[in-house]
Structures are given as C-alpha cells and as structure tokens.
Amino acid sequence: TSQYQNILTSRPADGVALITLNRPKALNALSSPLYEELNHALASFDADEGIRAMVITGSEKAFAAGADIKEMKDKDFSDAFKNRFLENWALLSQIRKPIIAAVSGYALGGGCELAMMCDIILASPTAVFGQPEINLGVIPGGGGTQRIARVAGKSIAMELTLTGRNFTAAEAVSWGLVSRISDKVLDDALAMATTIASKSAIAVQAGKEAVNVAYETSLTEGLRYERRIFHGLFATRDQKEGMAAFAEKRKATWSHS
Ligand code: CO8
C-alpha cells in the first residue's frame, strides 16, 4: 500500500518518476496534506539516483482546481502569517531534476501556478487554465502574477489577474506559457521525460539551472553564469564520454557524473 493518501507515485520508465494528484472528489484541490505529500515525493525522487526526470499530472477532468478553498476560507492573517500558510509551495523550485506538468482539464488558481512552477508544461486540448482568485476576493499567491507577467507580459498578466477569466491551451501556447498541445498529453510528457532521462543527468541539471537564471538576473550576468557552468562541465566524466563517443562514432554511455 502507498504511503500517500492524496497522490499516486510510480516509475513508468527507466529514470522517470510519475506523480499523479489524486483527490478526485475535490478536483485535486491542493490541500495542505496533499501538498505535504507532493513535497515529500518530489524531495524523495530528487534524492533518488535512479530518477532523472519527473512528470506531474492530474486526472482527465482536473490537473488541480486550485488551493483548497474550504481549508482557506476561515483563515485570518495572523494564522496565515505565523504558520507560513502555503509557503512550502516554494519547495518545488528547489528541485534540481526536471519536472514536466502534463495538464488536462482544470488548472485553476494554485493549479495553474503549480503547472507554471514546473519546468515544461504540456497541455491537452481540454485544458482550462486560469487565475480566478479575484472572484474569491484575493489575488494569486503562488507566483501567478509574477510568472505570467515574465512570460506573457504585463497586458496579459493584468487581464488574467484582474478579470479572473479562464484561458485555453491554445492561448497558453501562443503566450509561451505552455510548450505544446497534445491529444495524449500524459504519454507525450512521459516520452519527453524518458528522452531527458536518457541524457547525462549532471548536464541536464546544469541546463535547468542555467535556464532558470534567465528569470532571475540580467543578460550579462546570465551569460556569465551559463559560461561558468559550461566551463565547469569539462570537469565531468560525462563530458569526456560524450565527446569521445562522438569522435569514435559510438553511442555515449553516461555515468551521470
Ligand atoms: N477547493 C476546494 N474544493 C474544490 C475546489 C477548490 N479549489 N475546486 C473544486 N472543489 C470541490 C467542489 O467544492 C466540489 O465539492 P463537493 O462535491 O463537496 O461540493 C467538487 O470539488 C467538485 O467541484 P464542482 O462541483 O464545483 O465541479 P464543476 O465541474 O461544477 O466545476 C470548477 C468545476 C469550475 C473547477 C469549480 O469547481 C470551481 O470553480 N472551483 C474553484 C476554482 C478556483 O477558484 N480556484 C482557485 C482557488 S484559490 C487559489 O488557488 C489560491 C492559490 C494560492 C497559492 C499560494 C501558494 C503559495
């Protein structure tokens, strides 16, 4: 039996971990117990030498319909502040291994934000994104205003935050929030994770770190950072192996070190 009540975990392919949000009766609303389990699973897979890429998904009907409104509704400021309400959502950003979100159905509020915290989003044509918090008398709290503004720009971030309207997978692709639409989104996400897991894990993690710096700093600093990491990879076994394999016209065998 699983150690989790609100998520399912599996290893569907070599090097790949799958985390399925599983609170079907609440459309995968992200309750504190669910989030604790998600964080536990992410940290465990991040520490697991056998895992090199992860996929997070939900159900056909809902990736996640947001933070759990019933859990939040009676909270007051002092309780939210003192107990660092939802601050543990930031853990996902500390994970070194790549995380792909496979989104079908509702990805609203915190569900949309959870998807945007992942490194790559693939969406089914049925996906319904949105930041409806304004309709609850609040605003996004898991990065929605910031991540949409950085990727899609101010006008779209303002429109979505202030109207709370839903948006489609096609819109999300056109703004650059989602990399592509797929009819079999979970299969495609697992195939992408399998491809990533077939590369040198140390290079993959360095690549993720470098891309993320693009969101944190100036171009000059980002280019310097990228170059330093690039130089650093010449100290790895996988750089020697990858380049030797090319020169010898054979397939590289990664030691992930
Ligand atoms: N929280 C709690 N329960 C929920 C939630 C939710 N977010 N979403 C759905 N549910 C529950 C419903 O209450 C219902 O339960 P019950 O059967 O006991 O009444 C069950 O799931 C099924 O939902 P519906 O009957 O409403 O299903 P429909 O198909 O009619 O509608 C919708 C689907 C449109 C998705 C609708 O459920 C809905 O509008 N949900 C709320 C969406 C929303 O407002 N999300 C934003 C929440 S606020 C937020 O996410 C803040 C994030 C802050 C993150 C901070 C991180 C640091």
Side-chain angles (χ1 to χ4, degrees), residues 41-98:
L42 288 167
S44 307
F45 287 134
D46 209 34
D48 185 332
E49 289 277 340
I51 295 299
R52 295 183 295 283
M54 301 177 215
V55 174
I56 301 180
T57 197
S59 66
E60 284 288 312
K61 175 145 196 220
F63 178 74
D68 191 315
I69 300 169
K70 292 164 190 166
E71 179 184 334
M72 282 189 284
K73 70 183 197 11
D74 296 323
K75 265 201 200 307
D76 60 21
F77 171 78
S78 127
D79 175 31
F81 181 82
K82 284 195 291 196
N83 296 307
R84 299 172 171 265
F85 181 53
L86 302 182
E87 267 183 45
N88 66 343
W89 284 42
L91 180 122
L92 195 145
S93 312
Q94 311 296 318
I95 301 297
R96 282 196 167 184
K97 294 172 187 172

Side-chain angles (χ1 to χ4, degrees), residues 182-206:
S182 163
D183 285 326
K184 36 182 185 44
V185 72
L186 182 56
D187 288 350
D188 279 4
L190 291 172
M192 189 182 282
T194 303
T195 299
I196 293 170
S198 74
K199 315 295 182 191
S200 162
I202 198 163
V204 164
Q205 289 171 39

Side-chain angles (χ1 to χ4, degrees), residues 27 83 175 235:
L27 301 181
N83 296 307
W175 298 330

Side-chain angles (χ1 to χ4, degrees), residues 163-216:
T163 69
R165 78 158 171 97
N166 291 341
F167 57 99
T168 63
E171 284 180 296
V173 169
S174 74
W175 298 330
L177 282 172
V178 164
S179 62
R180 81 170 77 112
I181 299 176
S182 163
D183 285 326
K184 36 182 185 44
V185 72
L186 182 56
D187 288 350
D188 279 4
L190 291 172
M192 189 182 282
T194 303
T195 299
I196 293 170
S198 74
K199 315 295 182 191
S200 162
I202 198 163
V204 164
Q205 289 171 39
K208 167 169 169 166
E209 193 172 317
V211 172
N212 276 332
V213 169
Y215 289 93
E216 312 274 346

